[in-house]
Amino acid sequence: MTSMKAALYSDVREIHIQDVEYTPPEPGYLTLDTRCTGICGSDLHNYFGEWKPDFTIAQGHEVCGTVAEIGEGVTGFQVGDLVTLECFSHCGDCLYCRKGLYNHCLKSRWFASDAHGGFAEYTTVHASSAYRLKGMTFEEGTLVEPLAVAHRALAQSGAGHQDRVAIIGGGTIGQFCLAVARAIGVKETLITVKYPHQAQLAADLDADHIIDISKNDVSDAVKDLSDGLGMDVVIETIGGAQAFNESTAIIRKRGTVVLVAGYFKELEVNLGRIVWSEAIITGSNCYGYSGMQTDFQAAIDLITAGRLPLTKLVTHRYPLDDIEEAFRIAADKSSGAVKVHVVQEASIADIN
């Protein structure tokens, strides 16, 4: 094999299938036969031109596939293994890696920075980023990555069974954060939504309070349910000044706000609320170790245990050849899209 199909950006809102060269994996790397790839919010930032993508490399980092080829020096994997991927490599030796904070690895490399990612027939990744799976479908394996992001966000918050948790945003990460909050047994959950299909998904995930922002004021709802105290934890998944200010407006004094959204520009926000409330504001960057276990392994365990009906979040599925339509739908939330998956033609029967 000398060539393969890959979806490359050519301009803002322009992504097309091209024939590209297939290159075997370098030492330390694996190549997967890509079976299913999710369109992430960060992919949409690229699509809208808010972040500039590499026009020579296929993106896509929510990936599940089977091992097709193994580079020199890689152990622990065999051709045919079912695998999902973290979106970056890590060295294991630097200060941050030794502390379990490998999402801050000093030698980290985005796995599709010099090789094609999941929007290609074959995906090449460093072995440090790969996790073997058992007993999962390709679709479930693709959901591990965004679920790990949500697990990290809840871990960063320190939320426990006595806490009321609000989630700002009813998109993919918001819904995943809701699922994790329910799984860890927090006292009460609230999620804001913009569209009816988001509200229905939140109901399916057993949210205690679903606030339609087109009809209700979030601050008023929080005052009513918290006796005016505010939420113990707020997870902000949208990005932008309005969402940030909304988060700090509903957090209780000494509560915790976790920012997991993709902030792509400078903002003018109200910091006075943080001063008087002494709220703790922290970020959540991808995944690493949360306690004794990686967020990725925690996500795998949650899916394997069957505790979360996450496949309900997959609203649309398209073959790789239809990736232009897949992105158009993913970019238009009024279409009913939450999670859109791009699948290889041979895998559609396995996933549906």
Side-chain angles (χ1 to χ4, degrees):
M1 177 176 56
T2 59
S3 65
M4 64 178 182
K5 293 180 180 179
L8 304 180
Y9 293 103
S10 59
D11 205 339
V12 175
R13 296 176 183 257
E14 295 288 338
I15 185 168
H16 307 288
I17 297 295
Q18 299 183 31
D19 286 325
V20 300
E21 181 182 3
Y22 172 85
T23 56
E26 297 178 357
Y29 283 74
L30 297 167
T31 295
L32 303 190
D33 179 357
T34 314
R35 296 304 184 94
C36 186
T37 305
I39 297 179
C40 175
S42 59
D43 294 314
L44 295 178
H45 284 311
N46 289 331
Y47 183 72
F48 291 133
E50 295 161 345
W51 294 344
K52 186 177 180 180
D54 185 335
F55 294 113
T56 66
I57 296 295
Q59 305 295 299
H61 59 272
E62 298 177 4
V63 183
C64 186
T66 55
V67 175
E69 195 169 355
I70 300 173
E72 181 182 348
V74 175
T75 60
F77 295 93
Q78 296 181 351
V79 172
D81 281 347
L82 180 67
V83 169
T84 189
L85 311 173
E86 295 179 329
C87 69
F88 53 88
S89 65
H90 36 96
C91 71
D93 294 324
C94 73
L95 173 66
Y96 291 107
C97 283
R98 293 198 304 271
K99 287 185 172 293
L101 302 171
Y102 62 79
N103 52 329
H104 300 290
C105 174
L106 297 174
K107 300 178 182 177
S108 177
R109 299 173 69 185
W110 183 258
F111 80 73
S113 62
D114 54 3
H116 292 289
F119 299 136
E121 288 184 296
Y122 291 88
T123 302
T124 300
V125 65
H126 194 268
S128 68
S129 305
Y131 284 73
R132 292 175 60 193
L133 302 174
K134 291 184 178 180
M136 281 195 196
T137 64
F138 294 128
E139 182 159 277
E140 290 171 330
T142 304
L143 296 174
V144 170
E145 199 274 349
L147 183 59
V149 171
H151 185 272
R152 177 74 173 184
L154 266 296
Q156 288 287 88
S157 78
H161 71 280
Q162 294 181 319
D163 291 321
R164 292 186 171 104
V165 176
I167 297 152
I168 305 299
T172 300
I173 295 301
Q175 301 279 356
F176 275 60
C177 286
L178 170 61
V180 174
R182 297 294 298 174
I184 66 175
V186 303
K187 178 179 180 179
E188 208 165 357
T189 56
L190 177 150
I191 187 169
T192 67
V193 300
K194 190 175 181 180
Y195 302 103
H197 67 277
Q198 295 176 339
Q200 182 58 58
L201 283 171
D204 291 343
L205 293 173
D206 295 327
D208 295 302
H209 307 281
I210 302 168
I211 308 301
D212 183 337
I213 60 174
S214 68
K215 301 176 182 177
N216 301 283
D217 182 85
V218 180
S219 294
D220 288 343
V222 169
K223 287 177 183 177
D224 290 342
L225 72 92
S226 67
D227 295 324
L229 292 175
M231 304 300 286
D232 301 296
V233 169
V234 178
I235 311 290
E236 201 288 279
T237 74
I238 297 176
Q242 180 177 345
F244 181 93
N245 288 333
E246 191 170 78
S247 299
T248 58
I250 65 173
I251 195 67
R252 67 162 170 82
K253 295 175 181 179
R254 302 287 294 175
T256 300
V257 176
V258 179
L259 308 178
V260 70
Y263 285 84
F264 56 88
K265 63 181 179 180
E266 295 182 357
L267 305 176
E268 183 174 338
V269 297
N270 184 351
L271 298 180
R273 291 170 177 161
I274 300 171
V275 176
W276 67 256
S277 69
E278 293 190 331
I280 299 166
I281 312 295
T282 189
S284 185
N285 177 25
C286 289
Y287 22 73
Y289 274 89
S290 291
M292 299 293 289
Q293 188 179 49
T294 66
D295 297 294
F296 238 72
Q297 189 58 55
I300 291 169
D301 291 347
L302 283 170
I303 293 175
T304 302
R307 295 176 61 188
L308 307 177
L310 296 180
T311 55
K312 291 183 178 181
L313 274 67
V314 184
T315 54
H316 296 75
R317 303 167 180 85
Y318 292 91
L320 181 62
D321 285 340
D322 291 344
I323 196 165
E324 293 177 58
E325 179 66 6
F327 265 84
R328 187 189 70 80
I329 290 295
D332 178 11
K333 298 307 179 185
S334 66
S335 67
V338 176
K339 176 56 66 180
V340 177
H341 276 176
V342 176
V343 301
Q344 298 294 331
E345 186 173 347
S347 306
I348 294 176
D350 296 315
I351 294 172
N352 288 342

